Amino acid sequence: MKKFLSFTVAEPSDIIREGMVAVLRKINGDFRVFEVSDMEQLENHLQMKRPDVLIVNPGFWAGEKAASLGGDMLCVALLTDLRDTQNTQGFDLSVSLYDDFEQLSEKLGRLKPTHQEDSGSGRTLSQREVEIVSYVVKGYTNKQIADKLCLSQHTVITHRRNIANKLQIHSSAGLTIYAIVNKLVTLEEVK
């Protein structure tokens, strides 16, 4: 399994952005870390650099936008205020300025690199797509999945379409077999 190779920290505040970059380098000096201070240039930067992980203030750039870019980039909400928790819809994870080094390391450690290969198809699924697959095979509807993951139904449908295209599996039965074989769910979890 490969590790993350690159991060982009998108934040207009120099202090916050450079602090996050310093912490990321302390966690692992091998990361390539890009900085973006101009939110108008963020989409252009993401298309050119294609980082593995985007860390961004959700007040400036919505997670729904990140999901719409497609690809396997993971999106992390950088919360600068404890009251920002309602703005994390569409993000894979949220971190706070109030997290200490160990908390931040642990949270980022929970992210699964999107470069890992599936044993079955050789295609890759993002962490969010893996979560959605597990809910689908457990019998959840798109609306229930959206509610569980704090996403819009449209985003869930987009993820499901991307999953079907990546895996070339277009039925719930096929997806269930894939999930069991790849240990995304246990047989007991399937309804």
Side-chain angles (χ1 to χ4, degrees):
M1 176 189 309
K2 293 182 183 177
K3 297 288 184 195
F4 293 119
L5 302 174
S6 62
F7 285 75
T8 290
V9 179
E11 166 64 46
S13 166
D14 291 338
I15 293 171
I16 295 171
R17 186 181 64 255
E18 290 178 19
M20 180 57 72
V21 168
V23 171
L24 287 171
R25 289 199 171 116
K26 187 176 176 184
I27 291 172
N28 182 342
D30 294 334
F31 293 148
R32 280 183 299 156
V33 183
F34 303 105
E35 298 179 50
V36 175
S37 60
D38 182 358
M39 294 311 204
E40 293 175 7
Q41 298 299 319
L42 182 56
E43 284 187 51
N44 210 15
H45 166 82
L46 294 176
Q47 290 173 351
M48 289 175 39
K49 297 294 184 183
R50 300 204 177 274
D52 298 315
V53 180
L54 169 65
I55 300 175
V56 63
N57 184 325
F60 295 103
W61 212 66
E64 299 290 332
K65 254 187 179 178
S68 71
L69 286 176
D72 291 330
M73 179 181 64
L74 295 172
C75 298
V76 177
L78 175 58
L79 305 177
T80 57
D81 188 332
L82 292 175
R83 296 170 290 180
D84 282 346
T85 55
Q86 70 272 13
N87 293 331
T88 59
Q89 183 176 357
F91 288 90
D92 295 298
L93 176 73
S94 63
V95 296
S96 168
L97 289 183
Y98 301 101
D99 291 342
D100 62 25
F101 178 79
E102 287 77 24
Q103 289 172 314
L104 187 61
S105 291
E106 189 269 324
K107 284 181 178 182
L108 292 176
R110 278 189 268 151
L111 288 173
K112 294 181 182 158
T114 57
H115 299 296
Q116 62 187 336
E117 300 218 348
D118 294 321
S119 57
S121 65
R123 306 282 177 138
T124 59
L125 292 179
S126 69
Q127 180 179 0
R128 179 64 81 189
E129 288 168 337
V130 168
E131 288 176 310
I132 289 173
V133 167
S134 71
Y135 282 122
V136 168
V137 301
K138 291 176 187 175
Y140 286 80
T141 65
N142 288 343
K143 180 168 180 13
Q144 290 170 323
I145 295 169
D147 292 343
K148 279 267 193 204
L149 299 177
C150 299
L151 300 171
S152 71
Q153 273 186 271
H154 175 73
T155 300
V156 171
I157 292 167
T158 300
H159 279 302
R160 288 189 67 173
R161 188 176 328 126
N162 291 340
I163 292 165
N165 288 336
K166 284 181 180 182
L167 301 178
Q168 291 301 302
I169 298 173
H170 301 282
S171 70
S172 294
L175 202 55
T176 301
I177 292 168
Y178 170 86
I180 292 170
V181 167
N182 288 283
K183 297 182 171 103
L184 302 180
V185 296
T186 64
L187 197 53
E188 294 79 32
E189 292 177 299
V190 179
K191 290 184 180 178

